[in-house]
Amino acid sequence: LGASDNQPIVGARVKAVDDSRYTLTDIEGHYRLELAAGTYDVMVSGACIESDTVFGVTTVENELAQADFSVGQPVYAPLQSSINIIAQNEMIGGTVLMLGNDGTGVMSYSISAEAISPAGTWITVDPSSGVLQPQEHIDIDVIVQADTTNDNIYEFFGEVTVRSNACPDTVVTLPVLVTVLDAKNP
């Protein structure tokens, strides 16, 4: 069930820890996971929900055991639709990407940066992964080091991709435009 609204979570993945088999919750939030008799740690995870584990669930042959989960739902807060940077040639510069979780569950994220034109390693992000608690926001540093010395290209294009367990989108790609100023003295 959802922690904030007590409504069923459909399509959550339920499995015993260290077991590759899993099942999904149905429209009522119920699941049935067949396990041999023993004691298990049972976890729930999936897109749009935070992960949770119930420890020490004991199963007995030909009997039902029950493990209930109440999980929060992270919500990606779209605080920006693009990233625009003015940078000096041959110097480290950048800006921040504002990342937020407006939901009721913990949001885990990873962020990658890709240089498109020109190709290379002129763009990075820091930190590149982490977690945000419900209603928490963070500034991610988008770092660029543009060098136009050999090609006189003054507009750099790239992408920053945010992957998370949040809704409405688990993958968000933001375009990056860097305008390079050819001034040696700030």
Side-chain angles (χ1 to χ4, degrees):
L1 299 177
S4 64
D5 60 8
N6 215 29
Q7 294 298 308
I9 304 284
V10 179
R13 180 185 287 215
V14 181
K15 68 187 241 37
V17 174
D18 298 327
D19 190 342
S20 61
R21 297 173 299 145
Y22 66 91
T23 188
L24 300 176
T25 57
D26 64 17
I27 196 165
E28 295 175 349
H30 297 151
Y31 65 93
R32 185 179 197 107
L33 180 63
E34 293 189 25
L35 299 168
T39 302
Y40 299 91
D41 297 335
V42 181
M43 68 178 293
V44 63
S45 63
C48 305
I49 63 168
E50 66 182 332
S51 297
D52 191 19
T53 303
V54 173
F55 298 97
V57 177
T58 301
T59 60
V60 177
E61 189 172 337
N62 296 322
E63 291 185 23
L64 292 177
Q66 184 169 325
D68 295 326
F69 299 95
S70 178
V71 293
Q73 297 174 287
V75 175
Y76 179 83
L79 301 174
Q80 290 172 256
S81 60
S82 65
I83 300 170
N84 300 303
I85 301 169
I86 297 175
Q88 284 188 252
N89 191 28
E90 299 180 65
M91 297 187 77
I92 295 174
T95 190
V96 295
L97 164 64
M98 297 173 286
L99 189 63
N101 176 7
D102 286 348
T104 59
V106 175
M107 183 175 99
S108 56
Y109 66 87
S110 65
I111 303 175
S112 60
E114 179 183 3
I116 295 175
S117 176
T121 58
W122 54 264
I123 184 169
T124 58
V125 293
D126 184 46
S128 60
S129 64
V131 296
L132 287 177
Q133 298 300 316
Q135 305 305 312
E136 184 178 17
H137 296 81
I138 188 173
D139 289 341
I140 305 294
D141 290 322
V142 179
I143 304 160
V144 298
Q145 187 166 11
D147 186 351
T148 65
T149 305
N150 296 325
D151 53 22
N152 291 325
I153 296 174
Y154 295 98
E155 289 189 335
F156 286 44
F157 299 96
E159 290 180 341
V160 169
T161 302
V162 179
R163 290 175 174 76
S164 72
N165 62 329
C167 284
D169 299 309
T170 58
V171 178
V172 175
T173 301
L174 302 171
V176 178
L177 170 63
V178 179
T179 301
V180 182
L181 302 178
D182 192 17
K184 299 293 183 190
N185 186 345

